[in-house]
Amino acid sequence: MGRPKKERHKKGKKRKPPKPRLSDSADRYALYQQAVQSPPADIEFFTRVFADLRGRTPIRLREDFCGTALMSCEWVGSDPTRRAIGVDLDAPTLARSWDLNQSRLSDAERRRLSLVCADVRDLAETRADMTCAMNFSFCVFKQRPELLRYFEVAFHGLADEGVFVCELYGGTEAIIEFEEEREVDGFTFRWQQETYNPISNETLCHIHFDMADGSKIKRAFTYDWRLWTVPEVREILEEAGFASSRVFWEQVDDDGDGTGEYTATDVEENQEGWLVYIVAAK
Ligand SMILES: C[S@@+](CC[C@H](N)C(=O)[O-])C[C@H]1O[C@@H](n2cnc3c(N)ncnc32)[C@H](O)[C@@H]1O
């Protein structure tokens, strides 16, 4: 066997630059929004639930853990009287909000939006009609006193008729090491539960994006969470001062596929994976 040949470059001949990969230019926040968020459906749900509870439409939204504030931007665009305040502690994430979402708002819409870079537990006086904590973000609080403190702040940040909404996931596949993927327009969204500890209910999860040219954005986002159970969340909400809470479960069609319709319920069969809205009223 001869020695491996050295790569020779002929004088004057330029090496071809490597072909750009889609993963180099893709914006992980834009991919996240496309794959994970659907504010129009959430806003329709918030409006219906609030109207059922209070007999009017909600005007002021507080979006906790807002990230790029997609929801807040949709909210101010959904009604000319609506206002939104988005809260996130990560300044670089908030900064992406401009290009991705705020830039397409009118001046009038933008005037009804404010973003605050802060810990959600440090912002009390917001007098919101609704506060939302989407995509399981509150699971970042792993100790009961921490979560109770957050729910207390959420309670005090609401107006008298205020309503708090959060999302939670669970099911038999939520408590194992697990990976699933979903095709989105032009890329694949991969959700990985790397670890789950049954002693603490802590789970370490990642989002990866696989691009159409085979390039990848590995660990685009990582979440180190405690997977709270529905009764724990409801008990802590009550302890924080909320008068009542309801669980809204997604309805399925005859083939067992989710319909996108959520209804309040007290009894359900466990599933491999479920996602609920928990709605708490002052
Ligand atoms: C799962 S992302 C949610 C993004 C988006 N709002 C959504 O619903 O999909 C969680 C966000 O919470 C923020 N975050 C984590 N802990 C926080 C805290 N204590 N206070 C404020 N924001 C926090 C992170 O910076 C991150 O942007």
Side-chain angles (χ1 to χ4, degrees), residues 70 139 236 242 275:
L70 175 62
C139 292
I236 301 171
F242 288 95
L275 186 160

CSV table of all heavy atoms in Angstrom, one decimal, residues 70 139 236 242 275:
chain,number,residue,atom,x,y,z
A,70,LEU,N,-43.4,36.6,19.2
A,70,LEU,CA,-44.4,36.4,18.1
A,70,LEU,C,-45.8,36.5,18.5
A,70,LEU,O,-46.6,37.2,17.8
A,70,LEU,CB,-44.1,35.0,17.5
A,70,LEU,CG,-45.1,34.5,16.4
A,70,LEU,CD1,-45.0,35.4,15.2
A,70,LEU,CD2,-44.8,33.1,16.0
A,139,CYS,N,-41.7,25.3,33.2
A,139,CYS,CA,-41.0,24.1,33.7
A,139,CYS,C,-39.6,24.4,34.0
A,139,CYS,O,-38.9,23.5,34.6
A,139,CYS,CB,-41.2,22.9,32.7
A,139,CYS,SG,-42.9,22.4,32.6
A,236,ILE,N,-50.7,24.4,42.9
A,236,ILE,CA,-49.8,25.5,43.1
A,236,ILE,C,-50.5,26.8,42.6
A,236,ILE,O,-50.3,27.9,43.3
A,236,ILE,CB,-48.4,25.3,42.5
A,236,ILE,CG1,-47.7,24.0,43.1
A,236,ILE,CG2,-47.4,26.5,42.7
A,236,ILE,CD1,-46.5,23.6,42.4
A,242,PHE,N,-55.2,31.9,42.8
A,242,PHE,CA,-56.2,31.8,41.8
A,242,PHE,C,-57.4,31.1,42.3
A,242,PHE,O,-57.3,30.1,43.1
A,242,PHE,CB,-55.6,31.0,40.6
A,242,PHE,CG,-54.7,31.8,39.8
A,242,PHE,CD1,-53.3,31.7,40.0
A,242,PHE,CD2,-55.1,32.7,38.8
A,242,PHE,CE1,-52.4,32.5,39.3
A,242,PHE,CE2,-54.2,33.5,38.1
A,242,PHE,CZ,-52.9,33.4,38.3
A,275,LEU,N,-50.9,17.5,25.1
A,275,LEU,CA,-50.6,18.8,25.4
A,275,LEU,C,-51.9,19.5,25.8
A,275,LEU,O,-52.9,19.4,25.1
A,275,LEU,CB,-50.1,19.5,24.1
A,275,LEU,CG,-49.5,20.9,24.1
A,275,LEU,CD1,-48.6,21.1,22.9
A,275,LEU,CD2,-50.6,21.9,24.2
